[in-house]
Amino acid sequence: MKEKFTPNAQRVLAVAYELSEQMGQSYIGTEHLLIALTQCDGVAKDILLQNGTEEEKLLELAKQLIVLGGGEEPDGQDSFSPVARKVLLQSEQEANACGERLAGTEHILLALLKERMCLAVRLLNTLEVNVQKVFTDAVLLMG
C-alpha cells in the first residue's frame, strides 16, 4: 500500500501506526490518521492548522472517545479499520483524479473529510473546526 503514497503521506501512515500503539489500540482508525496529519509535514497539516485544529486538544479528545468505546475496529484484513482503509483507497482515487500518481497528505485529508460519520470528522466537529472550510481549502489548494 505504501508505494501509492508520497513520502510525507507514508510518514502519516507510520505515525498513525505509532499513535495507535501508544494509545493501546489494535487498529489504525481515522482518528489516528487525522492526528498524524497534524503531526507530519505536508499540505494537510498546513490546512488543518490554519483552520484552528490544535494537535494537543485533538489527541486528548481522541483518547477520551476511544476509552468510551468510540473507536473503529479492524475487520481482520490488516491493522486499518474498514473506514480508515476506505479513506486510504479514496485518497488514491483523489490523487488519480488530479492527475497525480501518488496520494499526498492533502488527498488523505480530502478523503477523510468525505467520510462524514467517521471518528476523525466527529473529532473536528467537537473541536468546532469548520469542516466545510477545511474541505474547501483542500480542494482549492489541489487546484
Side-chain angles (χ1 to χ4, degrees), residues 109-120:
L109 177 61
L110 196 60
L112 197 62
L113 296 174
K114 286 184 175 184
E115 286 298 319
R116 296 176 152 201
M117 299 306 292
C118 72
L119 185 52

Side-chain angles (χ1 to χ4, degrees), residues 7 10 13 17 53 81 91 99:
Q10 288 179 27
L13 299 180
Y17 176 78
T53 306
S81 72
S91 68

